[in-house]
Amino acid sequence: LAIRGLAIAGRTLERPDLVDAAAAAVDFLHRTMLRDGRLLASYKDGEAKFAAYLDDHAFLLDALLELLQSRWNATHLEFAQQVAGLLLEHFEDRQDGGFWFTADDHEKLIHRFKPLADEAVPSGNGVAALALQRLGFLLGETRYLEAAERTLRAAWRALEDVPHGHLSLLAALEEYLDHPEIIVIRGDDAGTARWRDSAARVYAPRRLVFAIPAGETRLPGALAERAPVDGETVAYRCVGTHCDLPVTTWEALAAQL
């Protein structure tokens, strides 16, 4: 949650020091809190321990997507894919949909529960559904989109009965019905940053803007199709899985927005 807030505040207030703090926190988690490919929950006195829970994975995935909009980093995208994979492999209820709070190999508890309601923090299921949808549309990865849809179907009765208690799931449902707008900008660092900042100034809560350097080659899935154009800044605009033709002037992108 802190990483997400720092990333959003950093790009909104044009404070690179806040983005630095968010990136440093992610790098610490990646370096210190991953052991044998699994995420851990606690760190103290130089030691990381305890298996991470649903919320740890869901909030981190959401935060990584916000940080990638503030500053592109291919390693952070790979980390996001890894976290999403752990969610699907170890937390998803493949029979009835949604995500359990504990992993499938966690110590045996009296009751393994599936939290849907928002409490002191947003629901892990709601944040997971939202973040998986966004990553799924960004990469064209149907596994993520299908897992998010199954989560919303599993929560349907709760959403109908107590909508005000499930706002994070409602946010995910809204983007399921009205797909997010994703802008991918390729070019030199100065050009992509300028277009990204200009596009982000217009308040559009379901718009995601990613500025990716022209020289970046480690792009998975649909992102690999968002190729740079020699000597120009180019923007690709997609809503869900529907994409417009790429544009190479800011005026043309502004018209699309």
Side-chain angles (χ1 to χ4, degrees), residues 71-148:
R71 181 180 299 158
W72 184 261
N73 183 310
T75 300
H76 291 167
L77 177 60
E78 292 169 359
F79 192 17
Q81 291 177 275
Q82 185 175 14
V83 172
L86 291 172
L87 273 171
L88 269 56
E89 181 178 357
H90 295 289
F91 292 86
E92 188 184 11
D93 181 348
R94 295 180 183 86
Q95 179 175 327
D96 297 319
F99 295 91
W100 304 106
F101 187 68
T102 53
D104 55 356
D105 55 357
H106 195 274
E107 63 180 291
K108 189 170 180 59
L109 304 174
I110 296 174
H111 173 60
R112 189 185 185 200
F113 72 109
K114 189 188 300 180
L116 299 176
D118 299 316
E119 298 186 22
V121 294
S123 159
N125 269 282
V127 175
L130 182 73
L132 284 169
Q133 276 182 156
R134 291 182 164 192
L135 186 62
F137 284 126
L138 178 65
L139 301 182
E141 178 54 76
T142 57
R143 289 188 308 134
Y144 302 154
L145 297 172
E146 291 165 357

Side-chain angles (χ1 to χ4, degrees), residues 1-11 15-31 59-60 62-73 76 79:
L1 292 172
I3 292 167
R4 182 183 192 274
L6 286 166
I8 294 172
R11 68 174 180 267
R15 288 276 305 274
D17 57 316
L18 300 182
V19 180
D20 289 343
V26 164
D27 292 339
F28 172 83
L29 295 179
H30 197 190
R31 182 177 64 252
F59 296 170
L60 178 55
D62 188 40
L64 284 163
L65 287 171
E66 292 295 346
L67 180 57
L68 284 166
Q69 294 180 75
S70 299
R71 181 180 299 158
W72 184 261
N73 183 310
H76 291 167
F79 192 17

Side-chain angles (χ1 to χ4, degrees), residues 4-242:
R4 182 183 192 274
L6 286 166
I8 294 172
R11 68 174 180 267
T12 304
L13 303 176
E14 298 180 357
R15 288 276 305 274
D17 57 316
L18 300 182
V19 180
D20 289 343
V26 164
D27 292 339
F28 172 83
L29 295 179
H30 197 190
R31 182 177 64 252
T32 309
M33 306 298 285
L34 270 179
R35 182 183 300 159
D36 300 325
R38 299 296 296 276
L39 195 62
L40 300 177
S42 177
Y43 179 89
K44 184 177 185 293
D45 297 333
E47 181 183 4
K49 55 185 177 180
F50 304 131
Y53 301 95
L54 167 63
D55 290 5
D56 301 312
H57 292 76
F59 296 170
L60 178 55
L61 178 58
D62 188 40
L64 284 163
L65 287 171
E66 292 295 346
L67 180 57
L68 284 166
Q69 294 180 75
S70 299
R71 181 180 299 158
W72 184 261
N73 183 310
T75 300
H76 291 167
L77 177 60
E78 292 169 359
F79 192 17
Q81 291 177 275
Q82 185 175 14
V83 172
L86 291 172
L87 273 171
L88 269 56
E89 181 178 357
H90 295 289
F91 292 86
E92 188 184 11
D93 181 348
R94 295 180 183 86
Q95 179 175 327
D96 297 319
F99 295 91
W100 304 106
F101 187 68
T102 53
D104 55 356
D105 55 357
H106 195 274
E107 63 180 291
K108 189 170 180 59
L109 304 174
I110 296 174
H111 173 60
R112 189 185 185 200
F113 72 109
K114 189 188 300 180
L116 299 176
D118 299 316
E119 298 186 22
V121 294
S123 159
N125 269 282
V127 175
L130 182 73
L132 284 169
Q133 276 182 156
R134 291 182 164 192
L135 186 62
F137 284 126
L138 178 65
L139 301 182
E141 178 54 76
T142 57
R143 289 188 308 134
Y144 302 154
L145 297 172
E146 291 165 357
E149 180 178 340
R150 287 192 294 268
T151 301
L152 292 171
R153 293 189 182 279
W156 199 260
R157 178 59 61 84
L159 283 168
E160 283 194 317
D161 291 349
V162 193
H164 54 278
H166 300 83
L167 296 182
S168 59
L169 279 162
L170 283 176
L173 175 60
E174 184 176 34
E175 289 200 0
Y176 173 81
L177 298 171
D178 189 2
H179 294 162
E181 179 186 40
I182 297 178
I183 313 296
V184 175
I185 304 168
R186 303 296 307 273
D188 64 68
D189 291 347
T192 57
R194 186 169 60 253
W195 284 25
R196 178 199 63 205
D197 295 344
S198 297
R201 281 195 186 96
V202 180
Y203 178 67
R206 287 195 300 278
R207 175 181 297 155
L208 288 74
V209 184
F210 300 90
I212 306 177
E216 181 58 71
T217 58
R218 291 188 295 165
L219 297 177
L223 271 182
E225 301 171 9
R226 316 289 183 247
V229 175
D230 287 344
E232 294 188 281
T233 301
V234 60
Y236 298 83
R237 174 185 178 268
C238 299
V239 177
T241 56
H242 172 77

